[in-house]
Amino acid sequence: MNAMLPRPTILTIEPYAPGASKVAGVNRITKLSSNEGAFGPPPGAMAAFIETAAELHRYPDGGSTELREAIGARFGLDPARIICGAGSDEILLHLIMSYGGEGTELIMSAHGFTMYDITGRYAGCQVIKVPERDLKPDVDAMLAAVGPRTRMLCLANPNNPTGYLLPQSEVARLRAGLRDDVMLVLDAAYAEYVTDPTYDAGAAMVDSAPNTVMTRTFSKIFGLGGMRVGWGYFPAHIADIINRIRGPFNVNIAAQAAAVAALAEPGWVEKSIAHNTEWRARLAAALEAAGIRIWPSEGNFLLADFTTAERAKAADAALKARGVIVRGMGGYGLPHCLRITVGTGEECNLVADTLSAFMHAV
Ligand SMILES: *Cc1c(COP(=O)(O)O)cnc(C)c1O
């Protein structure tokens, strides 16, 4: 019998390792491993979700029309150039499958978001991971890595898992240094959390530069990771391509309703930003005071550096013993680090107390 085999490149892909959500023997879990918002889902989104129950036999609106209009109104964008997806991961998949593929190269920064690597390989691209300086994307090195077969460059800004925000002037220099036929994908999953006033999540560059796209998500500040809703903002010619190949009903009826309601939730984003800005700083200060190096973050998480993999592992165990789940960074080549989501004040204090005691003991 002949063995059934996938395309050879598929076997080079390691499955995405999601943040854990359980610890054996511990009942009360504090999940700080997936950068989900600190406040649960918006109440209005929960109500809208429940309301769709009686409509579950209906196909969703394939164009996510109401949601695209709500996004357009909220962010001042043309709804015709917005496309919604089952998470921004789906948007990324369609972009890379449409414009990447066999014989092309996709460039990412060494510690960029793993999905660029997984999806790039899936599409058949050669994925080039460009070395960083001090966990910062190196614009000159990325530009130097561009070759005739390069079709895409994916940049998460702020980046996950480092939290680093590439300054706007550097993003502009990156775009200006790319050929027009190299797509720049600006993944702004954490845009709302950024406090730097010069930051542009990407919309201005989509409108002013060639072949630049922005992806966004409802999974982080809007608290809807379980619903799988994301979106992208594109030049018209790219929106046209993605609309040809996406699933005709790619965003389900409950997800569309919940996302529309999340956008309408009064004060939600403001409250979440204020909380994150305050507690990101408080948690960072407490961990630094305990002797842990914290990388600067503009997201809703911190990258805590324990210098050695052994110490990071022991810190992870100390947290787990108190039911706190954070994200190990071995898969990102940073086994000496843990990524910790900024949770509620109580959760941040639990992390700070646990890690202070841990650092005292080692
Ligand atoms: C969380 C995250 C996303 C969002 O993915 P969804 O599929 O929308 O849930 C995208 N990019 C980065 C860098 C992220 O951290």
Side-chain angles (χ1 to χ4, degrees):
M1 218 168 62
N2 294 326
M4 181 80 222
L5 291 172
R7 288 188 285 119
T9 49
I10 305 293
L11 294 170
T12 71
I13 300 172
E14 290 296 325
Y16 182 82
S21 54
K22 286 195 179 73
V23 183
V26 179
N27 289 328
R28 190 156 175 272
I29 291 296
T30 301
K31 185 173 185 288
L32 300 175
S33 58
S34 298
N35 301 341
E36 297 141 337
F39 298 124
M46 283 193 266
F49 170 78
I50 289 164
E51 253 179 54
T52 60
E55 296 294 322
L56 292 185
H57 60 307
R58 304 275 181 219
Y59 276 94
D61 168 14
S64 299
T65 312
E66 196 186 343
L67 177 54
R68 284 188 300 106
E69 279 167 4
I71 292 168
R74 170 65 164 259
F75 297 100
L77 304 175
D78 174 9
R81 292 195 283 130
I82 293 169
I83 295 175
C84 297
S88 47
D89 284 353
E90 191 204 354
I91 302 289
L92 199 68
L93 172 71
H94 292 322
L95 284 169
I96 296 176
M97 292 295 279
S98 298
Y99 291 93
E102 299 290 345
T104 73
E105 292 164 354
L106 180 152
I107 293 178
M108 63 184 285
S109 195
H111 298 103
F113 188 45
T114 310
M115 286 310 296
Y116 313 147
D117 186 22
I118 292 179
T119 311
R121 286 176 196 235
Y122 177 32
C125 312
Q126 174 105 31
V127 177
I128 298 176
K129 291 190 176 180
V130 177
E132 298 175 347
R133 291 188 194 187
D134 243 5
L135 297 190
K136 297 173 183 168
D138 184 335
V139 168
D140 293 307
M142 287 198 286
L143 290 175
V146 173
R149 299 187 306 152
T150 304
R151 286 292 168 277
M152 309 187 80
L153 191 153
C154 297
L155 179 79
N157 206 33
N159 185 47
N160 170 20
T162 57
Y164 182 72
L165 183 77
L166 189 66
Q168 204 52 44
S169 55
E170 285 290 280
V171 180
R173 198 163 72 79
L174 178 62
R175 176 66 269 185
L178 292 171
R179 287 194 318 267
D180 285 3
D181 67 340
V182 177
M183 183 186 296
L184 176 62
V185 180
L186 295 170
D187 176 346
Y190 300 96
E192 288 83 359
Y193 295 112
V194 173
T195 49
D196 180 336
T198 65
Y199 176 67
D200 162 42
M205 200 173 277
V206 173
D207 287 340
S208 64
N211 298 327
T212 301
V213 306
M214 170 180 73
T215 61
R216 303 285 288 265
T217 185
F218 281 89
S219 300
K220 306 286 158 55
I221 206 164
F222 288 104
L224 295 179
M227 291 265 76
R228 313 305 304 125
V229 203
W231 55 281
Y233 179 59
F234 309 98
H237 71 103
I238 296 177
D240 171 59
I241 297 302
I242 304 307
N243 273 324
R244 289 170 194 246
I245 49 84
R246 69 179 173 82
F249 305 106
N250 58 335
V251 184
N252 74 64
I253 198 167
Q256 290 186 35
V260 167
L263 285 170
E265 188 79 27
W268 181 263
V269 169
E270 293 79 0
K271 173 178 103 163
S272 302
I273 293 171
H275 171 85
N276 190 66
T277 305
E278 178 187 350
W279 284 94
R280 182 175 62 199
R282 287 173 73 156
L283 181 59
L287 297 180
E288 279 170 344
I292 302 163
R293 178 174 188 190
I294 301 299
W295 290 88
S297 171
E298 287 271 9
N300 67 337
F301 56 90
L302 294 173
L303 188 68
D305 191 333
F306 292 85
T307 320
T308 68
E310 291 67 36
R311 186 177 287 193
K313 224 174 140 194
D316 192 31
L319 288 165
K320 279 218 173 73
R322 298 191 68 178
V324 180
I325 304 179
V326 300
R327 186 69 148 261
M329 289 281 108
Y332 274 92
L334 300 168
H336 53 292
C337 294
L338 297 174
R339 194 194 67 196
I340 306 169
T341 303
V342 176
T344 63
E346 194 190 338
E347 290 168 340
C348 290
N349 286 333
L350 177 58
V351 169
D353 292 349
T354 305
L355 289 180
S356 299
F358 167 79
M359 292 300 285
H360 257 312
V362 291

